[in-house]
Amino acid sequence: MVAKRDGTQDKRPQRQAAPSVQDPPLSLERIIATAVELLDAEGLDGLKMRRLADRLGSGAMSLYWHVANKEQVFDLALDSVLEYRGPSQISDSPDWRQAVFHMLEDWRASMLRHPWSASLLPRRALGPNILGRLELLGSILSRAGVNEADLNGAIWSLWNYVMGATITRANFDLSDEDMLAGQQRLAHLSQEYPTIVRARLLLDNDWDGVFRKGLDFLLDGLVPRQ
Amino acid sequence: MVAKRDGTQDKRPQRQAAPSVQDPPLSLERIIATAVELLDAEGLDGLKMRRLADRLGSGAMSLYWHVANKEQVFDLALDSVLEYRGPSQISDSPDWRQAVFHMLEDWRASMLRHPWSASLLPRRALGPNILGRLELLGSILSRAGVNEADLNGAIWSLWNYVMGATITRANFDLSDEDMLAGQQRLAHLSQEYPTIVRARLLLDNDWDGVFRKGLDFLLDGLVPRQ
DNA sequence: ACCTGAACACCGTTCAAGT
DNA sequence: ACCTGAACACCGTTCAAGT
């Protein structure tokens, strides 16, 4: 029997898993960055404090020195993912419509890159990054001619639209087999849901195109082209 | 940020809460109806199998004879709340626009009566009641002149819009004090978010009016008035 | 100031039994 | 066929300590 040399085949939990380069010390930034990684990999339910600590090479309870509780981890991970580096000065460029599209499509793309963030955003407090986006949106619309009394409603209309489209898209991002299975189950009920089956509700959905088209319609209504 | 605290000053678990009239036997209907009650009272996180069993006057494990697991309770409670008793034959009435508005506003109202259902719907399978609504929606739009190639996109546009508006509304239904606190925190940052503060983003929001207005714009785009 | 393990109060669900 | 309690494998968090 050969003595185990290098922990390659270890059975034990082995807490001290060869901190070869010695993990850097815990910090709020490192915790949040790792939480985002974990959320991306395992989804909302996959974020467990113990698992997060494991990834950080620390004991589970060490996190609580930097963070009040799990909810705060969610809040910080969420806002960290919503930063907008877009051309915030272009807001007074002549093409306000393009500026709105740019920010909203970037917002949607950010959430789709981290699908857990879409379902999380509506139920958490608004962090600075998302507030920054809303501020930018409001200022563009305002400069485009939306009067003050309608501004609140216009902002929320667009928020609602983006959130609905993104949450749906993020959650219906099924595997092809799932979609096929769903459609087959539907087809089996084609006399109960004839229109839906004809429309191929779960197939051939051009999510991006649908998003842009609806956004166009909404903007036409909110800021009539003159 | 205020932690959600359950203000009810319960003293004891009180298992055997005087089954005065002897609870009726367990049944799927009774389980689902009680689950809806519990969800209405305590929210998504408030639904625990043990608590549900308590309300039913049964042991926790008895539920598992009628139900596979907690997820199934969610699925069934969700669809049970989305039934549409609306005038399904009126779909070929001359006023298709009114028919769409009626169904979508009723859908939104149903979800707002059970706020947990809004956040749940996008992540669960589509039950018969919601499929029925989509079928009705598709058939009305089709008769209103939306051609087959655009039907899928039109249905999803409206779905996205309704879900976004409702999820947001359901989750931002803050107490007056919360809203005031939020706005005050914002006001404190009025040089960072001047537009948002001016628009009174968190106050004076006519959710129902915003919903109807945006829906009008969307329908104008999807089915141009001739 | 920062990190830790033991321990507590849960929660969903399995299992082996009861009627 | 229907219901049950004991028990298991978790999970967030408190606490009393360690450095």
Side-chain angles (χ1 to χ4, degrees):
Chain A
M1 200 118 90
V2 183
K4 241 181 288 179
R5 237 155 241 246
D6 204 349
T8 42
Q9 275 271 1
D10 57 335
K11 348 165 164 187
R12 290 300 169 120
Q14 196 186 7
R15 290 284 161 107
Q16 306 272 40
S20 46
V21 198
Q22 184 72 357
D23 293 306
L26 239 36
S27 72
L28 195 54
E29 296 85 51
R30 221 163 72 79
I31 291 177
I32 299 309
T34 309
V36 170
E37 278 176 37
L38 187 52
L39 284 163
D40 288 347
E42 316 265 0
L44 271 185
D45 294 336
L47 180 62
K48 320 270 164 90
M49 294 306 267
R50 290 174 223 250
R51 200 111 67 110
L52 180 52
D54 268 3
R55 279 208 178 208
L56 288 158
S58 80
M61 287 311 104
S62 312
L63 303 177
Y64 286 87
W65 177 258
H66 303 268
V67 133
N69 50 35
K70 193 179 167 181
E71 299 229 315
Q72 202 190 340
V73 177
F74 276 128
D75 282 339
L76 295 174
L78 176 60
D79 203 61
S80 85
V81 136
L82 294 172
E83 192 183 350
Y84 187 48
R85 295 180 195 75
S88 73
Q89 295 313 0
I90 271 187
S91 63
D92 38 22
S93 101
D95 195 352
W96 65 267
R97 213 177 166 92
Q98 193 194 325
V100 168
F101 258 81
H102 187 276
M103 195 279 276
L104 295 184
E105 290 201 297
D106 174 273
W107 179 12
R108 177 165 173 273
S110 299
M111 290 192 285
L112 289 180
R113 243 177 280 127
H114 309 279
W116 49 271
S117 69
S119 5
L120 204 54
L121 181 49
R123 31 180 171 141
R124 308 298 319 165
L126 302 176
N129 279 330
I130 189 63
L131 281 176
R133 283 180 189 261
L134 293 179
E135 170 66 24
L136 178 61
L137 177 61
S139 77
I140 299 175
L141 290 175
S142 181
R143 256 171 280 202
V146 175
N147 66 47
E148 194 146 321
D150 294 332
L151 198 52
N152 196 349
I155 294 174
W156 282 117
S157 275
L158 291 168
W159 164 288
N160 288 343
Y161 183 77
V162 172
M163 290 311 305
T166 311
I167 289 176
T168 300
R169 170 62 203 265
N171 284 287
F172 275 76
D173 199 6
L174 309 165
S175 64
D176 286 349
E177 42 192 310
D178 281 348
M179 253 171 25
L180 213 54
Q183 190 69 16
Q184 274 169 354
R185 200 150 36 86
L186 265 185
H188 192 261
L189 302 170
S190 59
Q191 70 266 58
E192 276 195 81
Y193 308 113
T195 317
I196 279 182
V197 172
R198 252 193 308 126
R200 298 172 61 75
L201 188 70
L202 298 178
L203 302 163
D204 309 330
N205 198 2
D206 173 18
W207 296 98
D208 295 355
V210 165
F211 177 76
R212 268 194 294 273
K213 219 153 101 179
L215 188 50
D216 253 329
F217 296 151
L218 213 49
L219 285 176
D220 284 344
L222 292 169
V223 192
R225 303 181 193 252
Q226 71 264 84
Chain B
M1 239 166 297
V2 184
K4 229 179 294 175
R5 218 149 269 243
D6 179 336
T8 51
Q9 279 260 2
D10 57 331
K11 319 136 195 211
R12 283 284 133 180
Q14 199 184 3
R15 290 277 164 113
Q16 304 275 38
S20 46
V21 198
Q22 184 70 358
D23 295 304
L26 237 38
S27 71
L28 195 55
E29 295 84 52
R30 220 162 75 77
I31 292 176
I32 299 308
T34 309
V36 169
E37 278 176 36
L38 187 52
L39 284 163
D40 288 348
E42 315 266 1
L44 270 184
D45 294 337
L47 180 61
K48 321 269 165 87
M49 293 307 266
R50 290 177 222 249
R51 199 112 65 112
L52 180 53
D54 268 3
R55 280 210 179 208
L56 288 158
S58 79
M61 287 311 105
S62 312
L63 303 178
Y64 285 87
W65 177 258
H66 303 269
V67 135
N69 49 35
K70 194 178 167 181
E71 298 229 315
Q72 202 190 340
V73 177
F74 276 128
D75 283 339
L76 294 175
L78 176 60
D79 203 61
S80 85
V81 137
L82 294 173
E83 192 184 349
Y84 186 49
R85 292 181 198 75
S88 74
Q89 295 315 356
I90 271 186
S91 62
D92 38 22
S93 101
D95 195 353
W96 65 268
R97 214 178 167 92
Q98 193 194 324
V100 169
F101 259 81
H102 186 275
M103 194 279 277
L104 294 184
E105 290 201 297
D106 173 272
W107 179 14
R108 178 163 173 274
S110 298
M111 290 192 285
L112 289 180
R113 244 176 280 128
H114 310 279
W116 48 272
S117 68
S119 4
L120 203 54
L121 181 49
R123 30 180 171 141
R124 307 302 316 169
L126 303 176
N129 280 330
I130 190 62
L131 281 177
R133 282 180 189 264
L134 293 179
E135 170 66 24
L136 178 62
L137 178 61
S139 76
I140 298 175
L141 291 176
S142 182
R143 256 170 281 202
V146 176
N147 66 46
E148 196 146 319
D150 293 332
L151 198 51
N152 196 349
I155 294 174
W156 282 116
S157 275
L158 292 168
W159 163 289
N160 288 344
Y161 182 77
V162 172
M163 289 310 306
T166 310
I167 289 176
T168 301
R169 169 64 203 264
N171 284 288
F172 275 75
D173 198 6
L174 308 166
S175 64
D176 286 349
E177 43 192 309
D178 281 347
M179 252 171 29
L180 212 55
Q183 190 69 17
Q184 275 169 351
R185 201 149 37 86
L186 264 185
H188 193 259
L189 302 169
S190 61
Q191 68 266 58
E192 275 195 81
Y193 308 111
T195 317
I196 277 182
V197 172
R198 253 193 306 125
R200 300 171 59 75
L201 189 69
L202 297 178
L203 301 164
D204 308 332
N205 198 1
D206 173 17
W207 296 99
D208 296 352
V210 165
F211 177 75
R212 269 193 294 274
K213 218 154 101 178
L215 188 50
D216 252 329
F217 296 152
L218 213 48
L219 284 176
D220 284 344
L222 294 170
V223 192
R225 302 183 195 249
Q226 70 264 82

